[in-house]
Structure formats: C-alpha cells, structure tokens
C-alpha cells in the first residue's frame, strides 16, 4: 500500500496526464495548432471574422464578429477586447503580457473625379446643360470605396441654373460590403483650357525639364492670353525671368535653350563658293540656335559676327560691327 506522499505524487502525475490529453484534444479540434492573435489583419470584405483576429482556429475561423472598417480605414482590437472575444467564443487563449493587439485594416481606393464627372455630365445634359462643357467641382473630396469591382454611381436631387451654369446634386455610391454612401456635390459647367504651370519656383536662365512644369485644366477665363498650353512648348525652353510656383508660363518668357555660352570654345565655320572651312573660335556672348553673336577667331585674332548653328558651332557672317570690337565703346555689352 502506498504511503501518503506516494499517493500524492501518483495523483499529481495522473492530473498532469489528463491536462496534457485535454490540451492535445483541444489542439486537434482547432486544427492542431495553437490559438494566437494575428497582430495585423487585412480584411477584404464587409465583415470581420474570428479567423481575422486569431490564427489556428479551424472551423471557428468563419464566425462573424461584426462590420469591417470603412474602405481605407482601420481599427485596433486591444488585449482586453481580444480576451473577451476569445472567452465568448470558447477559445483557450488568455493574454500573456497584456500588450497583445490586432490592427484590422481594409484596403480602399479614392473614387476618381472622372467617374463622378461622367455621371454628373449625363444628368446635367438631361437638364439642359451643354454636354460639350466641362464640369468644375467645388471642394470635392473623393470618397473611399472598396478595391475590386467598380462601385455603382448615381446622382439624386440635382438642381441646375442655366443662367449661371451652377449645379448641386447628391452623389450616391453603392459598393459591395459597404453601406450606401451619399455625398453632396456643387460646382458649375465651364469651358476648360489646358495651361502649363510651374511645379516649383523657377529662376531666369533655367532650362525647363519634365519635373519643372505640369499641365493643368483651368476655367477658360482664368487662362491669361499668351500662356503656354502644351508641355511640348515649355519643356526644353529657357526662362528669361523668374516664375513663381503654380504660376502660368508666358510664351514670351520661353526662349530657345542656349547652344553657345560666353567665353566657351566654338567651331567657327567659314563657308564660301561651296567650300567649308572650320577654325577654332571663342564665343563673346551667349547664343541660342539661329541668333547672331560675336566670335573671336583664335587663328588670326579678328572679331566676327556669327550665326549659332547648334551646340558649339557658329557660322561666320563677316566682320563684327565696330561697336562690338574689343576696346570699342559698347564692346563691354558683348563681353
């Protein structure tokens, strides 16, 4: 017969075996894995399930807990909430450190302005607006919609004043897994023109690149006369004065880029009777292609007028005017 200490050790051993067996059975019932919070969950649909918060659940993963965040939004389930959810759903999980949490996010995309304008244009045309006019929305904030299939859009309560061409309407957005969204819109139908504006503060003498300018569509009355209206006209041009960020670019301030700079070495081309001869020269002024500058012929020291042909090339036209000769009055303007 076992002594009292022996009986105690035997009971403790049996209790441990029973606990181990219970834990193994629970693990098998939950897919042979431990239950643990996920830390982060990306939810595609309109609801949050138990499996979004915990891993290792097996069949219980599909249990619906509640609505998902709005598209493009998120919320955080903290440790106390996780413990309550686990208890209410029969999960053998308890927080260990008290800082366990799950961040639940739902992807989304902003509704494109063009999608809204297309629906509005059809509605305004039915109310007598000119379909050739563009739509200018005032203070438009693009609502977020789920990723995936395009939402269905409609407008209701539309009002249009033909005299001022102003309108107001309510946008209705229907998307899978999202409550119906209604957003008030206001604006006017206008004639728009494309114009080139500076993306940053630009200084005189800069040669414009693709990052320096952008095309914008503005109401026609906001586009001043003589402005550049295509990027092709602006990119590669040289500014003749400073332009503020966001300002329109006047065509008069866009010059051809310099092909020759003052004091740079150039190839001086002499042409006569079908013959062409090139000598070394030095430009005495800046010049864009097609402009006439003065050039010092390094072979004999004479100062010539020359037409800029391209980068580093000038065609000799003949002796420079006396005012442009070094040491003469007015020569400093060329130096």
């Amino acid at each position: 017969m076992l002594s009292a200490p022996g009986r105690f050790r035997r009971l403790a051993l049996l209790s441990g075996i029973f606990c181990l067996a219970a834990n193994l059975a629970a693990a098998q019932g939950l897919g042979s894995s431990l239950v643990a919070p996920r830390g982060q969950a990306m939810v595609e649909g309109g609801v949050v399930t138990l499996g979004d918060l915990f891993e290792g659940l097996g069949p219980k993963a599909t249990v619906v807990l509640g609505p998902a965040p709005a598209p493009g939004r998120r919320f955080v389930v903290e440790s106390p909430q996780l413990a309550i959810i686990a208890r209410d759903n029969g999960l053998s999980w308890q927080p260990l450190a008290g800082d366990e949490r799950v961040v639940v996010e739902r992807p989304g995309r902003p509704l494109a302005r063009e999608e809204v304008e297309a629906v509005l244009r059809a509605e305004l045309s039915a109310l007598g607006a000119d379909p050739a006019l563009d739509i200018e929305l005032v203070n438009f904030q693009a609502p977020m919609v789920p990723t995936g299939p395009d939402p269905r859009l409609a407008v209701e309560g539309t009002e249009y004043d033909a005299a001022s061409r102003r309108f107001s309407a309510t946008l209705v957005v229907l998307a899978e897994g999202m409550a119906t969204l209604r957003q008030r819109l206001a604006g006017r139908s206008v004639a728009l023109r494309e114009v080139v504006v500076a993306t940053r503060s630009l200084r005189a003498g800069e040669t414009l690149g693709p990052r320096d300018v952008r095309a914008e569509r503005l109401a026609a009355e906001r586009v001043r006369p003589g402005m550049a209206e295509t990027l092709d006209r602006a990119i590669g041009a040289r500014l003749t004065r400073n332009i503020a960020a966001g300002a329109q670019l006047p065509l008069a301030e866009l010059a051809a880029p310099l092909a020759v700079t003052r004091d740079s070495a150039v190839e001086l081309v002499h042409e006569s009777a079908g013959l062409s001869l090139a000598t070394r020269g030095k430009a005495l002024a800046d010049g864009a292609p097609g402009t006439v500058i003065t050039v010092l012929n390094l072979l004999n020291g004479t100062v010539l007028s020359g037409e800029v042909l391209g980068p580093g090339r000038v065609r000799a036209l003949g002796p420079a005017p006396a005012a442009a000769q070094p040491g003469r009055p007015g020569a400093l303007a060329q130096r």
Side-chain angles (χ1 to χ4, degrees), residues 108-146:
R109 67 171 179 89
L111 188 63
R113 178 188 291 261
E114 292 75 16
E115 297 177 76
V116 178
E117 290 177 350
V119 177
L120 266 174
R121 183 173 286 106
E123 180 73 6
L124 293 175
S125 296
L127 295 177
D130 184 351
L133 295 177
D134 289 287
I135 291 174
E136 184 179 57
L137 291 171
V138 178
N139 298 325
F140 175 70
Q141 297 292 327
M144 297 295 290
V145 296

Side-chain angles (χ1 to χ4, degrees), residues 55-288:
E55 55 187 350
L57 297 188
K60 285 192 174 183
T62 58
V63 174
V64 175
L65 299 177
R73 305 294 294 274
R74 70 176 188 173
F75 59 66
V76 179
V77 185
E78 301 287 355
S79 184
Q81 296 171 285
L82 290 172
I84 293 173
I85 293 171
R87 182 200 64 196
D88 291 348
N89 289 275
L91 305 183
S92 57
W93 178 84
Q94 287 292 329
L96 299 177
D99 60 353
E100 295 90 343
R101 65 205 308 246
V102 179
V103 179
V104 181
E105 296 185 68
R106 186 179 183 190
R109 67 171 179 89
L111 188 63
R113 178 188 291 261
E114 292 75 16
E115 297 177 76
V116 178
E117 290 177 350
V119 177
L120 266 174
R121 183 173 286 106
E123 180 73 6
L124 293 175
S125 296
L127 295 177
D130 184 351
L133 295 177
D134 289 287
I135 291 174
E136 184 179 57
L137 291 171
V138 178
N139 298 325
F140 175 70
Q141 297 292 327
M144 297 295 290
V145 296
T147 57
D150 290 335
R152 289 175 293 161
L153 305 180
V155 289
E156 61 185 19
T158 306
E159 297 180 358
Y160 177 69
D161 181 3
S164 64
R165 297 189 301 198
R166 296 188 177 276
F167 65 83
S168 62
T170 297
L171 174 68
V172 182
V173 182
L174 302 171
E176 185 178 350
M178 185 185 80
T180 301
L181 182 149
R182 284 178 167 81
Q183 180 174 317
R184 196 64 179 163
L185 302 174
R188 59 177 182 156
S189 56
V190 296
L192 296 184
R193 287 175 58 188
E194 190 167 278
V195 66
V196 179
V197 300
T199 59
R200 60 179 180 85
S201 296
L202 303 172
R203 299 183 65 83
E206 287 192 66
T207 299
L208 301 178
R211 296 184 179 181
D212 300 323
V213 292
R214 68 172 181 272
E216 283 191 2
R217 289 174 62 81
L218 302 177
E221 62 265 25
R222 294 176 56 192
V223 179
R224 304 197 308 273
M227 296 296 112
E229 298 185 6
T230 63
L231 289 175
D232 290 344
R233 182 62 184 83
I235 293 175
R238 177 174 52 89
L239 280 179
T240 59
R241 70 171 175 85
N242 297 343
I243 299 291
Q248 301 173 30
L249 271 66
L251 289 171
E253 307 300 340
L254 301 178
L258 294 177
V260 170
T261 57
R262 187 176 60 183
D263 294 330
S264 65
V266 297
E267 181 183 55
L268 189 57
V269 180
H270 303 265
E271 296 178 344
S272 176
L275 298 177
S276 179
L277 176 66
T279 60
R280 292 173 55 240
K282 183 175 78 169
L284 300 181
D286 296 334

Side-chain angles (χ1 to χ4, degrees), residues 17 24 26 50 70 94 132 205 214 300 332:
I17 293 173
L24 288 174
L50 198 58
Q94 287 292 329
R214 68 172 181 272
N300 56 24
L332 291 177

